[in-house]
């Protein structure tokens, strides 16, 4: 799915967007092909900063992994037609059925080797298309936190067309929420200029993902930490269509307060 944000790189209002899947539509005209999507978004004055090519990049079935890697490479080549410059990915799991579920094999050396092998196959298409791969740390995946994300970036090198999509809620649990300031500050310190996008959601008391402002995160403090990052798109996740306006208003208000 596409992530849509308002054009511009200045204040938060210009960088604030939302997952396209928040607004499900059923007709071909509403779910159009690449050129039509670009025209429709251009007419509305809305940009597409990033496109998801997410798949399980270390799936235990090598044939499935190879097929989906080839599909992702093709999608990467189409992304510039949408005006986006980031293609989002996760780092995968050895769980064969759920790409977000943790697996003991994620900690093994061969999992990291397969991650690098898949990413290496996508770096060249990304470079040719003039886009960056945005890898999102996920608690159930190989790149599970800021430190493993920093390790990956270090191995890929500064010139690689790759960066990090930072979802701060992914770095926290109800058990660690009391340390949120410390954990988020470390993530910003480690990943800083290599962050190519931010996702905004919250952590419910149950541990599940929740809409911004309905969970345990101190969002005024979060936005204060994010102010140390480059002015990248901030994309709302896990909000319903009915709640989207409220989330936007709260984020803009908290941003003003944090400033």
């Amino acid at each position: 799915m596409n992530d849509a944000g308002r054009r511009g790189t200045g204040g938060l209002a210009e960088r604030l967007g939302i997952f396209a899947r928040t607004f499900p539509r059923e007709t071909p005209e509403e779910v159009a092909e690449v050129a039509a999507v670009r025209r429709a978004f251009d007419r509305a004055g809305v940009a597409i900063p990033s496109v998801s090519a997410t798949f399980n990049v270390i799936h235990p079935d090598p044939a499935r992994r190879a097929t989906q890697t080839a599909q992702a490479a093709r999608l990467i080549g189409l992304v510039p037609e949408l005006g986006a410059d980031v293609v989002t990915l996760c780092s995968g799991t050895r769980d064969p059925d759920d790409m977000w579920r943790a697996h003991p094999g994620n900690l093994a050396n061969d999992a990291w080797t397969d991650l690098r092998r898949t990413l290496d196959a996508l770096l060249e298409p990304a470079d040719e298309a003039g886009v960056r791969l945005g890898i999102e740390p996920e608690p159930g995946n190989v790149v599970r936190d800021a430190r493993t994300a920093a390790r990956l970036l270090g191995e890929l090198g500064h010139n690689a067309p790759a960066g990090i999509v930072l979802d701060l809620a992914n770095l926290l649990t109800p058990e660690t929420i009391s340390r949120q300031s410390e954990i988020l500050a470390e993530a910003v310190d480690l990943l800083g200029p290599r962050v190519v996008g931010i996702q905004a959601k919250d952590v419910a008391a149950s541990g599940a993902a929740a809409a911004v402002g309905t969970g345990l995160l101190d969002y005024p403090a979060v936005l204060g930490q994010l102010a140390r990052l480059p002015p990248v798109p901030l994309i709302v996740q896990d909000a319903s269509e009915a709640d989207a306006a409220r989330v936007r208003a709260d984020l803009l208000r908290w941003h003003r307060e944090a400033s």
Side-chain angles (χ1 to χ4, degrees), residues 10 120 173 193-194 219 223:
D120 287 349
T173 66
R194 300 294 295 275
Y219 255 93
L223 291 169

Side-chain angles (χ1 to χ4, degrees), residues 1 28 31 75 89 110 123 141 147 179 219 241-242 247 255:
M1 288 293 187
V31 186
L75 176 60
L89 296 166
D110 62 352
L123 287 171
N141 288 172
R147 294 185 182 185
R179 297 175 48 236
Y219 255 93
E241 182 171 350
V247 170
H255 177 70

Side-chain angles (χ1 to χ4, degrees), residues 137-162:
E138 292 274 355
N141 288 172
V142 175
V143 177
R144 59 194 177 277
D145 53 25
R147 294 185 182 185
T148 48
R151 174 191 170 188
L152 178 63
L153 293 177
E155 290 187 8
L156 294 177
H158 287 289
N159 294 326

Side-chain angles (χ1 to χ4, degrees), residues 205-216:
S206 65
V212 166
T214 64
L216 304 174

Side-chain angles (χ1 to χ4, degrees), residues 198-213:
I198 301 164
Q199 292 181 357
K201 64 174 184 274
D202 217 321
V203 178
S206 65
V212 166

Side-chain angles (χ1 to χ4, degrees), residues 214-250:
T214 64
L216 304 174
L217 268 69
D218 178 357
Y219 255 93
V222 165
L223 291 169
Q225 293 281 5
L226 296 181
R228 299 195 289 128
L229 294 174
V232 297
L234 189 152
I235 307 300
V236 171
Q237 187 178 7
D238 288 283
S240 67
E241 182 171 350
D243 197 29
R246 190 275 307 168
V247 170
R248 180 179 185 274
D250 281 350

